[in-house]
Amino acid sequence: MNRRTVIAGLGAAGLAGLSGCLGLLGMAEHESSPAGVEADAREETGYEQTAIEALPVERDVGPTNETVTVTNHMTKHEKSVDMGLLGSRRGAVFNVLTTPQVSIVGKELNPVGEMSTQELMDLVRSNYDGIDNISHDEDSDITILEQSTTQSQFTADAEFDGEDVPVNIYITEAVEADEDLLVTIGVYPEYVERQEEPNIAALTEAVTTDVDEGASSGDGGSDDGGSDDGGNESTDDGGNESTDGSDDNQTDDGSDSNESDDGVLG
């Protein structure tokens, strides 16, 4: 299987897990709206908006095998950072994930709204190989869209071009974003912690639902060992196990998960 680096794939892995949860609700069709980061914060921190990706998931549910379609969105941001012996790589990532709220008689059915950051981190770990030695370091309060929520910092070892790289991972508990739920995931190598820790906080607090869809460069995830626009690695779009516990070697759209994907973060 040709996977991109775990550092680049964390956001997609988490989103794949969230998508699977909604696919079991037995409701016909739901779609979130994309969210992003304010332009000033992107410029100040050096993160580039590389893509806004719609991730549709289809499931046949219930005794009648009704097809349920859930479309989530992931807005991807990347930055080249100094990674020591590996050189300058796009090893810093910040993703904004949205998933639709689904309610019946006032009861919210999307489980993402009740998930802790540890549970969200478990989704990431269960969907991607190459993440080891995960440790929950600390929690802090942060404001997203004028709502106070928890942001948790984890440390882990992640594979990057065949090398184990210690990374910091930041995950927030979901907040409401109009009719959606919103989660952020930030990842960077520990090597640049002093530089990137405040940048992740700034990006998180600058999340906006007024996303600039024309700002995406479309070249994210490229990496040739030093430049921003090379590289041939690609990723699949999720893990080998579906979130309903069944063994599933296919992607959510029915394609073979061993087939590479041209997308930045899967």
Side-chain angles (χ1 to χ4, degrees), residues 178-256:
D178 297 329
E179 297 182 357
D180 303 320
L181 297 170
L182 182 150
V183 173
T184 68
I185 300 178
V187 187
Y188 60 78
E190 285 186 2
Y191 188 81
V192 291
E193 179 175 12
R194 181 176 298 180
Q195 171 186 335
E196 295 307 320
E197 183 176 18
N199 285 339
I200 292 296
L203 292 168
T204 305
E205 293 183 334
V207 164
T208 177
T209 55
D210 188 20
V211 62
D212 183 359
E213 299 191 27
S216 300
S217 66
D219 66 352
S222 52
D223 192 18
D224 65 357
S227 67
D228 290 345
D229 54 3
N232 295 315
E233 279 191 294
S234 60
T235 183
D236 68 356
D237 59 359
N240 292 330
E241 197 172 78
S242 64
T243 54
D244 61 0
S246 61
D247 187 9
D248 188 358
N249 289 321
Q250 289 188 321
T251 59
D252 291 325
D253 60 4
S255 61
D256 190 340

Side-chain angles (χ1 to χ4, degrees), residues 86-103:
L86 290 175
S88 179
R89 303 293 184 93
R90 287 202 174 197
V93 176
F94 184 78
N95 288 335
V96 182
L97 316 176
T98 57
T99 182
Q101 295 190 64
V102 182
S103 61

